[in-house]
Amino acid sequence: MPIENVVLQWVLSIGVIASLAATVYYSLRYRRSADLKTRGLLSARMNIVMGIMLILLALIQMLLFTGSTIRVIVGAVFLLLGLFNLFAGLRNHSVYRSLK
């Protein structure tokens, strides 16, 4: 395995683990919060981080393994779900930030 693949594997793996930890953190804070604006902001941040995690998982599927049809389809589904979560989270975050 070339050194570039090893470095890419480590970077993507650390990114997935960090985004997973951030998702759990925002999820726990969301469940414990009583204020509606705070809950909305935390939910939006959780969606953003979850979208990043799904995009990273899609990159792992597409870049690190040989290209079988199933891997490409799973990677494409993860990529689309990740992009949807990312953009929905960014939109919701801007809406909740503008609330007084």
Side-chain angles (χ1 to χ4, degrees):
M1 182 180 269
I3 190 73
E4 296 88 17
N5 284 352
V6 173
V7 171
L8 183 63
Q9 181 180 1
W10 275 100
V11 168
L12 291 175
S13 298
I14 290 171
V16 167
I17 291 169
S19 61
L20 177 65
T23 300
V24 170
Y25 172 75
Y26 286 128
S27 176
L28 291 174
R29 284 197 52 206
Y30 165 78
R31 291 176 191 343
R32 293 180 181 176
S33 177
D35 181 36
L36 289 178
K37 180 181 176 184
T38 305
R39 285 178 65 96
L41 281 171
L42 292 171
S43 174
R45 290 176 188 164
M46 184 176 60
N47 276 347
I48 292 169
V49 176
M50 197 177 304
I52 292 170
M53 180 176 59
L54 286 168
I55 291 169
L56 291 174
L57 286 172
L59 289 175
I60 288 173
Q61 287 292 316
M62 292 180 172
L63 298 177
L64 294 181
F65 297 106
T66 58
S68 71
T69 305
I70 300 296
R71 283 198 195 275
V72 171
I73 291 171
V74 169
V77 169
F78 279 7
L79 185 64
L80 290 174
L81 285 172
L83 288 172
F84 177 76
N85 265 352
L86 181 66
F87 289 125
L90 289 171
R91 184 195 65 213
N92 290 343
H93 196 270
S94 68
V95 167
Y96 280 107
R97 278 188 52 181
S98 66
L99 292 177
K100 295 287 178 181

